[in-house]
Amino acid sequence: MSLRLGDTAPDFTAETSLGTVNFYDYLGDSWGVLFSHPADFTPVCTTELGRTAALREEFVKRNVKPIAISVDGVESHNNWITDINETQDVSVQFPIIADEDKKVSALYDMIHPNASETVTVRSVFIIDPAKKVRLTLTYPASTGRNFNEIVRVIDSLQLTDQHKLATPADWEQGNDCIVTPAVPTEKAKELFGNVNEVKPYLRYVNQPK
């Protein structure tokens, strides 16, 4: 059964490019981004892993730990990392899971038989500190993932977990937010200051600092 939003992310212990890793222990009290790759030495995934490494400081600021997975082995992963570092001008410091037996892929429903019987699809899971799945995305093999969007979603989740707000289409850090329907307008004014009431159900406020 596929994972749904709000489900508890399955725990696992696996061999990785950084040694044996228990997923829950690795995350600790951090957010996590788990993303899968069909195989090592694939061109699109090489750029994605490079982009993830380049965003290291952005992830650290948000208390987020990335972890990747591919069905190839540890030795292959380490050789691939050498290529990634060279071609993308980065230093990959997060683990890549060696899922040769596809156990983790099965836990996270990463094998889609109508796409391929043998390799993982290119999925993304954002997992919060309570180990709940907060976002799932699955990309076609030909389209590289948008890591700006992944960071944007993390920003939105962390903001809206803290405040009774939602974020509108194309929202980015610093843009106005939307008051959730459960909050009366007078209460929203107490919480957030000025409220721009376009419609009774569509009310904008400045993003809290």
Side-chain angles (χ1 to χ4, degrees):
M1 182 181 293
S2 60
L3 288 172
R4 299 179 180 180
L5 299 187
D7 286 352
T8 299
D11 193 17
F12 58 83
T13 299
E15 296 304 313
T16 79
S17 56
L18 296 180
T20 304
V21 168
N22 174 266
F23 187 48
Y24 280 13
D25 289 345
Y26 171 71
L27 293 182
D29 62 358
S30 299
W31 291 69
V33 177
L34 170 65
F35 58 112
S36 59
H37 301 276
D40 293 359
F41 301 100
T42 50
V44 173
C45 295
T46 296
T47 66
E48 292 176 328
L49 289 164
R51 178 63 174 148
T52 304
L55 286 168
R56 181 178 182 276
E57 292 304 319
E58 296 302 316
F59 286 130
V60 168
K61 282 195 301 187
R62 294 164 173 81
N63 191 31
V64 175
K65 292 182 179 178
I67 182 168
I69 179 173
S70 170
V71 297
D72 292 312
V74 169
E75 183 177 358
S76 176
H77 287 357
N78 287 327
N79 290 332
W80 189 22
I81 287 169
T82 298
D83 277 8
I84 295 163
N85 290 344
E86 176 189 343
T87 62
Q88 307 303 304
D89 192 26
V90 295
S91 175
V92 172
Q93 298 180 30
F94 54 87
I96 304 177
I97 298 161
D99 195 35
E100 293 178 284
D101 58 10
K102 301 183 179 64
K103 285 184 177 179
V104 178
S105 299
L107 276 177
Y108 282 81
D109 194 33
M110 294 174 180
I111 305 292
H112 291 196
N114 289 332
S116 171
E117 292 282 356
T118 58
V119 300
T120 58
V121 294
R122 295 170 56 252
S123 294
V124 180
F125 299 87
I126 293 178
I127 298 161
D128 69 18
K131 310 300 185 290
K132 300 297 183 182
V133 176
R134 301 297 298 275
L135 171 136
T136 64
L137 289 170
T138 298
Y139 286 76
S142 59
T143 305
R145 282 169 268 218
N146 186 332
F147 282 85
N148 290 334
E149 170 64 3
I150 292 169
V151 172
R152 187 187 80 92
V153 172
I154 291 167
D155 284 343
S156 174
L157 288 169
Q158 292 182 345
L159 172 69
T160 58
D161 279 359
Q162 186 176 356
H163 301 282
K164 295 177 180 180
L165 295 170
T167 54
D170 297 330
W171 175 88
E172 295 180 352
Q173 274 284 10
N175 290 358
D176 286 351
C177 301
I178 293 172
V179 180
T180 57
V183 180
T185 297
E186 289 307 311
K187 182 64 174 178
K189 290 177 180 178
E190 292 177 20
L191 292 171
F192 309 115
N194 184 54
V195 177
N196 176 16
E197 185 174 315
V198 179
K199 294 286 185 181
Y201 62 86
L202 181 58
R203 299 161 297 163
Y204 291 92
V205 297
N206 292 334
Q207 179 182 326
K209 300 299 182 184

